Amino acid sequence: MGEEERVKLGRESEGESEITARVVVVASMDTPKRNQINTPISKFEDSPVFNYINSLSPIQPVKSMHSSQSFNSLSFASLPSVFTSPHVSSLKESRFLRRHQFSDMSKPDFSSENGNKVGRDEGVMDVAHDLTQHPENFDPRGSVGDASNERSYESSKLEIELSRTLSYDYVNPDCDPSTSCGIENKCASEKGSFGSEMHIEGISQIDQNREATGCDWESLISDAADLLIFDSPNETGPSKGSNQKSLDSVTGFCTSLNNDLPKTQAIGAVGLSEQPETENICTQPGEAGDLGDRVENLDMFASTSLDNCMAGDLHGKMGDEVRIYSSVRIASNLQRGTRRRCLVFEMAGARRKRFDDGSSCGSSVLQQSHRDVASNDKHIVPLKPGNDSSRCILPGIGLHLNALATTSTDYKVIKHDDLGLGGQLIERDMVSAENEISVVEDASQASGYVGNEEYSQSSPKKKRRRSENGGESEACKRCNCKKSKCLKLYCECFAAGVYCVEPCSCQECFNKPIHEDTVLSTRKQIESRNPLAFAPKVIRSSDSVLEIGDDSSKTPASARHKRGCNCKKSGCLKKYCECYQGGVGCSINCRCEGCKNAFGRKDGTELAELEEEEIGDERSLVDRASQKTLIHNDADHNADSILPATPLRFGRSLIQLPFSSKCKAPRSSVLAIGSSSNTSQKFGKPDVGQRQAKFEKRFEPTKEDEMPEFLQGSGSPTSGIKSGSPNSKRVSPPHCNAGTSPGQRSSRKLILQSIPSFPSLTPKH
DNA sequence: GAGTTTGAAACT
DNA sequence: CAGTTTCAAACTC
């Protein structure tokens, strides 16, 4: 219904403009390039796909068309493949790729919203079919596009044809009411294009435009096509400025097209919406005047489902050169990227709110740049059911990873949830910008959070006691601070980068989401003092894991405490010793006296030796246990997450856990070990081993990202634990690494690599 | 559970 | 950087 009205308006307001539009179209039709179009059409007819389409019920060609559009738009957003090959030569491929993407991306939204489940191919086929039926339509469009095509991507004719077909779909009179609305919008956009700029870019552009419009279209349809179309301020408002004529004329034109060349009109609209000139509306309001008409669709879209920024992004994408490759551009274009991010965040935030408990968690590092994301973390962070104190990711050194992970998670959510195009687009952008976060990480986190919550809830008792239970659940990090307010490293929770939770027995605790600002500031302060303060205390190479696997040899030597211990009385045989607690042997960095560390003496004696001498069976048992764990880790990654992976998991203690863990298991924690527990108890190793293993898996990958410094240190061939300052009580950050041998390092890297996303992800600030 | 021991963290 | 103090976990009873 909207169409007619609009058309009327357009005609009334500007009958001449309409005429002009037609004239233009006609001229374009005359262009010799028409032939090209014809050829492609014939191809379609001949193609099996075409036949298939024909075979399909003609009942709802329109819907199919819509779906196709939406897909295009969607693909536009995501299109990795497209990114890879910007060249026109691959147009055909790009098309297919797009389809794929669409299918993937759009499924949720479109299928549900439009009810249009026709595959893109079908849509395309339908379009082709329409074309065959209405060949005249093709000419105009194609001619226009070709003539004006500045970019001259050399886009394949087929692609052009496809785009045309798509556009036709839009126009298709058979469209449902909902679609009609979308069509109108398109018309409006067309106005802009025709009126203001006849030189429609090449077919490629059209195609792109189509995509863009498709996005809008989809959003409109999904939300409320009617409302959007008519309600959109753009139509009446700014867009009408200088271009109003064009709009009106366009409208008229559209109308006429509907009558005469319905399909063509749709195409034009698409093309218009996306002219290259159109940058983001948001950024360039001034354009509204010029592009207002074209933009309308986008604006509407924006108002509808996404932020204006989103729309602006879309516009920008579309506008810039080939839309197909727009995504690439986005990445390059900071402004746009930023906008998207904003959008993304906003969107994410909105969604999150749904889930949000109200507890706030923040990530420090990312805070500034990714503030929004951080806020989003809330969702991700497992809030204890019923407990505000749920752990949140704190900004520690490696926090950015967390944030990223979170972010990624958010994105996922967005994708799956509701976001239509915008959401998807955003995701893409974010991913590209951030270097893609590993999904694994996200999953692990999420699961981890849950685990935490459960865990914490499960045992309100002291942490010590808690750990006893499952051992594995690692109730780690339940503090008992009384004077530090849980804002110093004395507090294990804080040190671990997690918020205190119920189980904690702390007093006057400020390490809670409520005091996020305080926590963050404190963290920063501490980090300023010691950048590695929140880094994992125990640096471990993958080797150790492997070694453990062997059963026999196993020297944890590969892992070392970054700072080393300073034990005087414990002989490094009690948990007072951080090295021992971490399940690693003492190293040069240690200043301990009378070291008897079962995992490796300061003098270089390693575990293996110790085992023989002192430890004996116990150690092997421990190793085995840890080994098992490690082995399972990959598979269990998720399970691991169950561990107290509080938001800050990346925090040092968590990382430490791998081997030692601060998850201090209660003495009795031996349980975890299982059968071997009895023997292992002696040194308490069992706990360590198992726990370490678990944590290790999880954290190892992150280590590098989190702590590049460490990596470097570990990376240092000398590995020497001591490379740093042997004498200094506290090892300087760079030196932190405990001595990992070069070989170890390599193996470690392998592990890291296994986690695909991390390397690239590390967004470094 | 209270008290002691211990060593890291923080402070000077 | 070294020494001292503070702190909370680890440990003992």
Side-chain angles (χ1 to χ4, degrees), chain A residues 660-674:
Chain A
S660 69
S661 80
K662 279 212 130 210
C663 294
K664 309 176 171 178
R667 311 166 183 159
S668 61
S669 63
V670 178
L671 296 177
I673 295 166

Side-chain angles (χ1 to χ4, degrees), chain A residues 305-371:
Chain A
S305 62
L306 299 177
D307 292 348
N308 292 337
C309 293
M310 289 292 293
D313 291 346
L314 292 175
H315 291 294
K317 291 178 182 177
M318 308 298 272
D320 293 348
E321 298 178 353
V322 178
R323 295 173 196 125
I324 293 166
Y325 305 100
S326 65
S327 62
V328 172
R329 292 183 55 193
I330 292 164
S332 64
N333 185 339
L334 292 177
Q335 288 178 345
R336 291 179 184 175
T338 302
R339 293 173 188 173
R340 292 173 190 166
R341 289 178 185 175
C342 292
L343 291 175
V344 172
F345 291 123
E346 288 178 356
M347 292 175 68
R351 291 177 184 172
R352 290 173 188 168
K353 286 179 180 179
R354 294 177 185 173
F355 302 92
D356 187 1
D357 291 349
S359 66
S360 65
C361 300
S363 63
S364 61
V365 172
L366 293 180
Q367 292 172 340
Q368 299 304 326
S369 64
H370 300 285
R371 180 73 177 170

Side-chain angles (χ1 to χ4, degrees), chain A residues 255-267:
Chain A
T255 303
S256 64
L257 290 175
N258 288 337
N259 295 337
D260 297 344
L261 299 175
K263 292 177 181 178
T264 303
Q265 180 180 6
I267 293 166

Side-chain angles (χ1 to χ4, degrees), chain A residues 42 46 271 289 318 325 433 450 454 467 509 547 644 659 661 684 722 740:
Chain A
S42 63
D46 293 347
M318 308 298 272
Y325 305 100
V450 172
E454 289 178 357
S467 60
C509 178
E547 288 177 356
F659 260 103
S661 80
K722 337 320 220 94
T740 53

Side-chain angles (χ1 to χ4, degrees), chain A residues 40 47 60 80 104 121 183 230 242 423 431 462 507 551 593 601 664 709 758:
Chain A
S47 69
Q60 293 178 341
D104 294 347
D121 291 350
I183 291 166
F230 294 94
S242 62
V431 172
K462 289 181 181 180
Q507 298 175 0
D551 280 358
E593 296 176 357
R601 293 180 183 177
K664 309 176 171 178
E709 294 174 353
F758 281 120

